[in-house]
Amino acid sequence: MDVDSNKKWIKLTTHGEWGTHSVNLNSGTNILYWRTTGVTLGSKAVKPILLKNIQIEGVAYTSECFPCKPGTFSRTPGSSSCAPCPRDTYSGRGASSCTPCNTKTHYALEGSAMCKSKPPCSKKDYIQTYSTCDKDGKTRVVYKWLEPRICLEAAAGAVKLPPSGQLKPCPPCNPGFYNNHTATCSPCPPGTYSDGVKACQSCPAGTEPVLGFEYKWWNVLPANMKSSCFNVANNNCDGLNGWEVAGDHLQSGSGRSDNDNLILTLRVPGFKLPMSVQGTSGSEYGRITFEFETSCSADCEFYFMTDVKKRSTNVVESWDGRKTKQSYTYIMTENSSVAFTWAFQRTSRASDVRRYANDMVKIYSVSVTNAVCALKSKKAGSSCVSCPAGHYIDKKTNHCQKCPPNTVLSGDNIYGKETCQPCGPGSKSNKEHSVCFSDCLFKYTHHNQILQYDFSALTPAGSILNGPSFTAKGTKYYHLFNISLCGAEGHKAAVCRDNITDLPNEDVKGGQLGSSVEAFLCQSTIIPSDGRGLRTALSSQSISLADTFQGATVEKSLNGINARPELFPSPPKRIPDVHFFYRY
């Protein structure tokens, strides 16, 4: 049931002692198997495996009703579960509603069993940040309370929120950018360079510009960077900015709780080596170097991760606790699109009270060599931006260009026109150039006559049921094939659904909810309702047999498909066939 091998396979005990093993069950029906294997070596007998106790929690049918635990409630009779009390409310055991707190003096987090007194505000209840540069290119230090605010500013001994600082000039532009007499910075045109202070200049004769990113001034978060907040236990920080710009550095934000994961991602569409080093031996396409420091009083963790071609995110390096200012370099050995991600967590222990809000990590500079900068136009925004859907990066200008008609982008690496691959015969691309499809309308010239084929009636899904077949124990089953040759602009209309994992859940139309497979051709195994005395048929083992449309060709054949009769005064002797090609 679990892909992780540590959970899928039970670890054997070595000295005959009892061990325990647990798995997480999905909602709905679950089928559990205990299977043993053994290899006999010579005359050595295989020792038996003993199973002592099976304990299952949270099953759908129970012999008694359990009262809701403190901090949760069940409003109506027959509720399948207890819901947590909203923020600033609380409940006791077996509650049918939540009681509001006196928010003037008390507070309660979500799912609280009691209200707590608001403490006097201290320096740990607010953070320092910087305002966004205004139209005059000015910024200032500002202070803001941590959210949710659970302290009293008017209590005895409480601190006040410090006033905002004086307006100061914003930091200069990063290297490779120039100030266009506004509050924003724009990238230099191709073939020019700048240190971020001076205007863009043309490269001298005999030289070429060095591509890459170099961020050392943090006036605004670059457009190819994204900040977010994530907490596996709750979604209170979803939608928040996990990082904030602070002039000469970028720092982790406040989040909602101390165990939030504060995420920062930098996306690079590809790499381009300078002409002076192209063709030389070596596997380095680019490198990223960043300078950082952590200031922690708890068990903080700082991670650096990479995701090449959107395959999977892997941790490259991590640091825990307080770290002095230092730099780290990672070398790219593959010319592909990559996402560099930084994550910071103040503590892994969840708590209702913020104790480490001032623990943070600061990134002072980020440098990526040989990185391609995708620009929509010469007047791009504050930084390099991603190309629109269906566009590739021109190798000469580094500008975004639209893929030619009836081509599809081959993958995440969009550097060069060759990444726009032509669609197969008889197919066309959608507007986003993400998929090739067929509208099932074909024209073919035959003896100076145009034959028109209209297979649009094959767009909806059709079904074929074979069998029946029987298992070794006599259970009857069928194989169901759902087919949709055309689809609609790449949408696969053939759907094969599994209902065995969600058997008790029925939708409003009486059908079964469960996992499903979308394809041009898919297969499911059906056990009819009379097969084992079930109330409804079981559908399982759904697989895709054709998920990519490759093309359609017209070939001559003696026994062809009838063309439109109005095109022929008499039936021809040889009518071409249309063949559809798919790939699994």
Side-chain angles (χ1 to χ4, degrees), residues 372-567:
V372 175
C373 180
L375 301 180
K376 293 181 181 179
S377 66
K378 292 183 179 180
K379 296 181 179 180
S382 60
S383 179
C384 301
V385 295
S386 300
C387 288
H391 288 66
Y392 68 94
I393 303 174
D394 187 89
K395 290 185 176 181
K396 296 181 179 179
T397 64
N398 286 337
H399 287 180
C400 297
Q401 300 291 337
K402 190 174 183 179
C403 281
N406 298 329
T407 60
V408 61
L409 283 171
S410 58
D412 297 320
N413 185 13
I414 59 174
Y415 185 57
K417 188 176 181 180
E418 61 272 12
T419 59
C420 301
Q421 298 292 328
C423 292
S427 62
K428 61 185 68 175
S429 63
N430 58 356
K431 294 181 180 179
E432 294 79 17
H433 293 269
S434 60
V435 67
C436 296
F437 70 96
S438 171
D439 56 7
C440 280
L441 298 176
F442 298 94
K443 292 184 179 181
Y444 181 75
T445 303
H446 181 72
H447 296 304
N448 297 325
Q449 291 182 316
I450 298 178
L451 306 183
Q452 297 185 15
Y453 293 85
D454 186 356
F455 295 101
S456 58
L458 299 178
T459 299
S463 299
I464 299 176
L465 190 67
N466 76 340
S469 301
F470 296 89
T471 66
K473 294 184 177 181
T475 301
K476 181 168 59 176
Y477 68 94
Y478 299 87
H479 284 309
L480 173 67
F481 298 88
N482 288 333
I483 303 173
S484 172
L485 293 183
C486 301
E489 292 198 7
H491 175 69
K492 307 174 185 67
V495 179
C496 293
R497 190 183 302 277
D498 282 356
N499 66 1
I500 194 170
T501 57
D502 291 300
L503 187 58
N505 301 325
E506 295 188 358
D507 59 19
V508 294
K509 297 181 180 179
Q512 297 295 331
L513 297 176
S515 59
S516 60
V517 173
E518 293 185 2
F520 293 102
L521 173 61
C522 60
Q523 171 189 320
S524 294
T525 301
I526 307 296
I527 301 177
S529 58
D530 59 350
R532 297 184 64 181
L534 302 172
R535 292 183 303 169
T536 183
L538 295 183
S539 174
S540 65
Q541 300 178 356
S542 296
I543 59 174
S544 170
L545 300 180
D547 61 353
T548 303
F549 181 78
Q550 295 289 91
T553 60
V554 181
E555 297 180 1
K556 293 182 179 180
S557 174
L558 289 175
N559 298 315
I561 302 173
N562 290 331
R564 293 177 56 182
E566 62 269 21
L567 297 180

Side-chain angles (χ1 to χ4, degrees), residues 213 215 218 220-230 237-245 250-253 261-268 302-303 305 310 338-344 363 366 382-386:
F213 308 136
Y215 301 130
W218 305 95
V220 64
L221 195 67
N224 57 347
M225 278 189 171
K226 181 182 178 182
S227 172
S228 60
C229 181
F230 171 75
C237 76
D238 291 355
L240 294 180
N241 287 327
W243 293 70
E244 297 177 342
V245 294
L250 183 68
Q251 66 186 31
S252 53
N261 290 277
L262 308 174
I263 311 296
L264 177 68
T265 302
L266 168 63
R267 298 192 179 277
V268 178
F302 182 46
Y303 299 91
M305 299 168 283
K310 296 183 180 180
V338 61
F340 300 110
T341 300
W342 296 266
F344 179 71
I363 295 180
V366 176
S382 60
S383 179
C384 301
V385 295
S386 300

Side-chain angles (χ1 to χ4, degrees), residues 99-335:
T99 304
C101 299
N102 182 2
T103 55
K104 293 183 179 180
T105 57
H106 291 73
Y107 75 97
L109 299 178
E110 182 181 1
S112 297
M114 60 181 296
C115 296
K116 297 181 180 180
S117 300
K118 289 184 175 181
C121 292
S122 66
K123 293 182 178 180
K124 293 184 177 181
D125 293 306
Y126 66 83
I127 60 171
Q128 171 186 310
T129 183
Y130 290 80
S131 64
T132 305
C133 282
D134 57 22
K135 61 181 181 179
D136 298 323
K138 302 286 187 178
T139 184
R140 70 174 75 195
V141 175
V142 294
Y143 300 88
K144 61 180 181 180
W145 296 110
L146 290 172
E147 295 293 341
R149 184 178 170 185
I150 59 174
C151 66
L152 286 175
E153 191 176 2
V159 300
K160 302 291 183 181
L161 193 67
S164 300
Q166 298 294 326
L167 285 172
K168 296 181 179 180
C170 291
C173 296
N174 284 302
F177 295 81
Y178 71 99
N179 191 310
N180 54 0
H181 304 291
T182 64
T184 62
C185 298
S186 299
C188 288
T192 63
Y193 71 100
S194 172
D195 59 359
V197 179
K198 301 178 181 178
C200 298
Q201 306 177 38
S202 299
C203 292
T207 65
E208 63 178 329
V210 178
L211 297 180
F213 308 136
E214 185 177 358
Y215 301 130
K216 61 181 182 179
W217 298 108
W218 305 95
N219 173 21
V220 64
L221 195 67
N224 57 347
M225 278 189 171
K226 181 182 178 182
S227 172
S228 60
C229 181
F230 171 75
N231 193 315
V232 69
N234 58 72
N235 57 0
N236 289 333
C237 76
D238 291 355
L240 294 180
N241 287 327
W243 293 70
E244 297 177 342
V245 294
D248 64 342
H249 67 274
L250 183 68
Q251 66 186 31
S252 53
S254 59
R256 283 280 192 256
S257 59
D258 285 346
N259 67 328
D260 289 342
N261 290 277
L262 308 174
I263 311 296
L264 177 68
T265 302
L266 168 63
R267 298 192 179 277
V268 178
F271 297 87
K272 181 182 180 182
L273 293 173
M275 291 296 295
S276 57
V277 298
Q278 287 187 12
T280 60
S281 60
S283 59
E284 178 179 335
Y285 286 93
R287 61 175 59 194
I288 179 173
T289 302
F290 59 93
E291 191 176 23
F292 73 97
E293 70 173 344
T294 60
S295 176
C296 300
S297 58
D299 55 334
C300 69
E301 289 279 353
F302 182 46
Y303 299 91
F304 174 64
M305 299 168 283
T306 61
D307 182 2
V308 180
K309 291 184 178 180
K310 296 183 180 180
R311 290 194 293 254
S312 62
T313 300
N314 300 311
V315 177
V316 176
E317 190 61 80
S318 63
W319 302 266
D320 57 351
R322 182 185 296 270
K323 299 297 179 184
T324 58
K325 194 174 182 179
Q326 57 188 278
S327 63
Y328 179 81
T329 299
Y330 175 77
I331 297 177
M332 280 293 300
T333 58
E334 182 178 353
N335 187 10

